[in-house]
Amino acid sequence: MQTRLFMTPGPVAQIVCSIVSSCLFVAMAFAGDPTTMLGFTARNAVNQLALEKKFDARLDPAEQRAWLERMSAEPNHVGSTHNKANAEFMLEKFREWGWDAQIETFYVLYPTPKTQALELVAPARFAARLHEPAVAGDRTSDKAADALPPYHAYGADGDVTADLVYVNQGMPDDYKELDRRGISVKGQIVIARYGGGWRGLKPKLAHEHGAIGCIIYSDPGDDGYSAGDVYPKGAYRPPEGVQRGSVADITIYSGDPLTPDVGATKDARRLSIQEAKTVLKVPVMPISYADAQPLLATLGGPVAPTDWRGALPITYHLGPGPARVHLAITSDWGLKPIYNVIATIQGNDHPDEWVIRGNHHDGWVFGAWDPLAANVVLMAEAKAIGALVKEGWKPNRTLVYASWDGEEPGLLGSTEWVETHAAELRRKTILYVNSDTNGRGFLRAGGSHSLQALVNQVAAGVRDPQTSATVLERLRAKVLVEGNEKGAAEENRKIGKRVAAGAAPPLQALGSGSDYTPFLQHLGIASLDLRYGGEDKDSGIYHSVYDSFDHYLRFGDPDFAYGVALAQTIGHVMLRVATADALPMRFTDFADAVAQYAEELHKLADDLRERTDQQHRLLDEHAFKLAADPTETYLPPERESSVPFLNFAPLDNALLKLKKSATACDEACTKVAASDFKSSDARLVRLNDLLQGMEQTLTYSKGLPGREWYRHMIYAPGMHTGYGVKTLPGVREAIEQRRWPEAEQYMTIIAGVLNAYSERLDEAAAVLKQ
């Protein structure tokens, strides 16, 4: 894409080219020079660095270890005794540290299994264990008596018996492949392996194709013995390990299925379960590869394609049959209370400007990795900030620290809180900063691109515990190496080239799967998601009983040095935003990101048109039929609709305006560092008022097609990716799904929100010119 961009410089290419110099400027400004600290006068930047040094001195890794051991000692699922005890423990601690804290309770639909059974009934008999046994050396693995068994929340109850069909990862292209082989799943039970897309899409797509049940297993080729030694010898998934999880259709909306758009208070008006769009229609069950092997080994039919085969010592067949299975699930579909811990320190100068920090505290079982390793980081930040306040420091803006409940089933705690307080949050919130887990390795940062320079400046001031380089330097080195490796993905090569040319490592766009979703994609509040990882080993125990304190000590962050690093990173972000003279945002970074997304859409449409034309030629020449083995069933693909030339002009023109407005606003904001503004200066007050609501201009009140809850027009989880992000989603998904009028409709809608964003930037720049 980059070569094409510079050889044929259209309007989008011109934007990217012209932003290179600003990226270089930002990269050079990361050395910690107070005169370049974003959003601060030079004098106040010196004071800010001193404040952050005091904050760092109050971070104790031993405290994080002790809190994690205590909080992961018993099962922490929604409704468990220990999960509530953890909320009460945090409430006590927040108050001890000087915060105004309370527990806010909601009442949500949370199904739990009463009975589960999975049996192979023909041609042989086998009963799945559906149980994770204790392992030597893991002290909590034998404390699972109070834990829920492995299950998928929000799958339907049912009692079904049918032939089995193996559908690989159960994604749309997998069903197209089965169609070409003449295999239907209608009236059958499917078995899919994890991977390729979010787990909830697998039973949803199975139902859409006529299946009456779905089984999902973890293949050892992905996170078991093929990846490394299994637990407890190594970090990876043992034969009986099961990945639990929610299958609620969060691509429609997150939160309580019965109360979309309103908080799930006691007296909230609720849908019936039958009316709830996010509750699935077929029973679905997670199983281990030990339980999956006898089922898969009994399948007949064609041998699976090469890239469908996992690492089990069997020949992978597709079916249907002769394996026939009986799947039965009954559940308790009652309401359960969830407990959000909300702690506040009121701002001194601007109490109605909020900076919010969140992490969840519920887990599927013990949850040491996910989420408590990061929740104890949040607690460490809160204790250090409380100590600063007791010593006389006051934030200019209000700090809100939240430990959410019910994240694992579907972002329940955060979403219900956001929906309950939506009007106030829109008026007051500047930033939401999220974390979800943490481990050893590299900084992983995603979020709103107007915050990219802030994150990179902070990262330039935090030292990597293993190398003593800054975490920004280490991340930059990783990006350069990955972009230069043989066989590197195109996206990695492009990012590597930009970083090699002087740009900072970019923020990743956010999809879904954690508590930033209701803030960013529903309300349009600027958000970040931060963690460390990549040199730890957590994938093999993800959402299992083996996500434990003992596993984390061996394979996560043994000395909690990266817990301290994450507390420094997020703590500095929170302190800077709470204290800054002007809100620390840089808008040319956002313009750069959107320009890249738009260029991708141009290429997507062009490439799709070329592939479609080629398919039509091959179909007309009967090439698929002639190339197929006559002794096997392999049908030609279904003829795709032709790809028209779409009208990108509204979007391209809006991008040209955005680039101009972003540059002007950034240049005007540099006056803050060169001036001696007081926080009460009317110009700063007006500027910050405009910047506070900037991200909200990127929302569209009617939302995305078929899912009105998602209102952000730049970032959204994909309908067929789940957690995975789709940028400029209204257009991108319309092109991918060949809905051409919808693509042009959302081209205009996105242009409209970008123009509104540009107009607000122009107004902000004008304020500082007064």
Side-chain angles (χ1 to χ4, degrees), residues 172-231:
D173 285 347
D174 296 326
Y175 285 100
K176 291 180 181 178
E177 181 68 17
L178 289 172
D179 287 343
R180 294 192 65 184
R181 294 173 182 271
I183 296 173
S184 171
V185 302
K186 188 172 182 180
Q188 316 284 25
I189 295 173
V190 304
I191 183 168
R193 59 183 173 132
Y194 272 109
W198 177 61
R199 78 180 74 82
L201 294 172
K202 300 172 190 287
K204 179 182 178 180
L205 291 168
H207 172 66
E208 290 175 356
H209 286 83
I212 60 173
C214 179
I215 303 163
I216 308 177
Y217 81 100
S218 301
D219 196 280
D222 299 318
D223 61 7
Y225 53 72
S226 184
D229 290 326
V230 302
Y231 195 55

Side-chain angles (χ1 to χ4, degrees), residues 38 81 113 134 181 238 272 309 334-335 358 409 509 523 525-526 634 679 709:
L38 200 62
T81 301
R181 294 173 182 271
S272 68
R309 302 170 197 168
L335 299 183
L523 293 190
I525 290 169
Y634 201 60
S679 62
W709 192 87

Side-chain angles (χ1 to χ4, degrees), residues 109-114 157 330-336:
L109 178 69
Y110 181 62
T112 55
K114 293 195 294 187
D157 284 359
T330 62
S331 305
D332 174 357
W333 288 87
L335 299 183
K336 307 288 192 306

Side-chain angles (χ1 to χ4, degrees), residues 191-477:
I191 183 168
R193 59 183 173 132
Y194 272 109
W198 177 61
R199 78 180 74 82
L201 294 172
K202 300 172 190 287
K204 179 182 178 180
L205 291 168
H207 172 66
E208 290 175 356
H209 286 83
I212 60 173
C214 179
I215 303 163
I216 308 177
Y217 81 100
S218 301
D219 196 280
D222 299 318
D223 61 7
Y225 53 72
S226 184
D229 290 326
V230 302
Y231 195 55
K233 181 180 180 180
Y236 293 94
R237 192 175 302 276
E240 296 85 5
V242 183
Q243 183 191 140
R244 298 153 175 79
S246 174
V247 293
D249 193 355
I250 61 168
T251 63
I252 305 298
Y253 56 84
S254 69
D256 176 31
L258 305 185
T259 59
D261 263 332
V262 297
T265 56
K266 263 188 177 179
D267 57 353
R269 185 174 181 179
R270 287 173 165 82
L271 302 173
S272 68
I273 294 174
Q274 292 72 27
E275 293 173 310
K277 294 181 179 179
T278 58
V279 175
L280 297 194
K281 308 303 181 185
V282 295
V284 53
M285 180 181 290
I287 64 172
S288 66
Y289 58 84
D291 279 341
Q293 183 171 333
L295 308 182
L296 292 166
T298 315
L299 279 171
V303 174
T306 302
D307 57 354
W308 287 34
R309 302 170 197 168
L312 289 170
I314 60 172
T315 301
Y316 285 71
H317 289 265
L318 299 177
R324 189 168 180 84
V325 296
H326 170 227
L327 170 64
I329 300 172
T330 62
S331 305
D332 174 357
W333 288 87
L335 299 183
K336 307 288 192 306
I338 57 173
Y339 307 101
N340 292 337
V341 186
I342 310 295
T344 304
I345 290 177
Q346 188 166 347
N348 193 49
D349 298 329
H350 307 290
D352 287 338
E353 296 178 5
W354 294 359
V355 189
I356 305 178
R357 166 79 168 100
N359 196 99
H360 70 102
H361 62 80
D362 66 299
W364 281 111
V365 192
F366 303 107
W369 285 83
D370 178 12
L372 294 173
N375 191 78
V376 298
V377 171
L378 176 146
M379 294 170 67
E381 298 162 32
K383 182 179 181 182
I385 291 171
L388 294 176
V389 171
K390 288 180 179 179
E391 293 171 4
W393 173 79
K394 295 275 189 178
N396 291 342
R397 300 177 178 89
T398 294
L399 289 168
V400 180
Y401 268 55
S403 184
W404 311 114
D405 199 358
E407 187 269 359
E408 294 293 4
L411 320 182
L412 303 181
S414 58
T415 299
E416 299 317 311
W417 192 78
V418 164
E419 290 177 338
T420 298
H421 303 286
E424 187 175 21
L425 291 170
R426 287 190 183 99
R427 291 195 313 271
K428 297 180 179 180
T429 308
I430 292 166
L431 171 66
Y432 174 71
V433 182
N434 189 70
S435 59
D436 201 323
T437 186
N438 194 52
R440 186 174 65 87
F442 301 90
L443 176 63
R444 294 181 173 181
S448 304
H449 285 84
S450 59
L451 302 167
Q452 180 171 310
L454 167 65
V455 172
N456 284 322
Q457 284 195 351
V458 165
V462 175
R463 292 286 167 183
D464 174 71
Q466 298 179 117
T467 66
S468 296
T470 70
V471 298
L472 181 69
E473 290 169 337
R474 195 158 190 241
L475 178 60
R476 183 178 183 275

Side-chain angles (χ1 to χ4, degrees), residues 628-651:
D629 185 339
T631 66
E632 297 180 359
T633 299
Y634 201 60
L635 305 172
E638 186 175 324
R639 192 180 190 91
E640 302 280 11
S641 63
S642 296
V643 181
F645 285 90
L646 300 171
N647 180 17
F648 282 89
L651 179 58

Side-chain angles (χ1 to χ4, degrees), residues 554-589:
R554 291 178 61 193
F555 304 110
D557 181 18
D559 57 5
F560 290 81
Y562 281 92
V564 171
L566 185 61
Q568 291 174 332
T569 305
I570 297 181
H572 294 186
V573 168
M574 296 295 292
L575 292 173
R576 290 194 189 186
V577 178
T579 311
D581 301 295
L583 295 179
M585 299 176 177
R586 185 173 178 87
F587 299 102
T588 45
D589 296 323

